[in-house]
Amino acid sequence: MNKVCPVCNKLQNVTYTCSHCKGTMVDKGRVQDYTDPYAGQFPINDDEDYCVHLYQCLNCNEMERKSVSKIEI
């Protein structure tokens, strides 16, 4: 069995609550995509059990890193 990120593979919608204002946060992509202009062309560099995504609050625009647990397929 392989483990995959449910957010990257659009298998689940994962939302979080903002720790600053308690608003709804939405996914803005993998943190790796923001580290380098060519990051999208490199192999995914993440942990075996989770994938780190950047989430943004719809109310206050606060950004937070969240570890999304991978699932087995």
Side-chain angles (χ1 to χ4, degrees), residues 5 7-8 16 25-47 50-56 63-68:
C5 175
V7 177
C8 288
Y16 291 97
M25 300 190 86
V26 294
D27 179 47
K28 291 298 186 180
R30 294 178 296 137
V31 169
Q32 178 183 342
D33 293 341
Y34 291 89
T35 59
D36 186 284
Y38 298 103
Q41 298 173 5
F42 296 140
I44 296 174
N45 182 18
D46 59 3
D47 189 81
Y50 62 88
C51 184
V52 181
H53 281 254
L54 193 60
Y55 277 78
Q56 183 174 24
M63 303 284 272
E64 295 181 16
R65 291 177 184 213
K66 299 290 184 180
S67 297
V68 178

Side-chain angles (χ1 to χ4, degrees), residues 13-26:
N13 241 352
V14 178
T15 57
Y16 291 97
T17 302
C18 178
S19 60
H20 181 71
C21 75
K22 306 300 182 216
T24 301
M25 300 190 86
V26 294

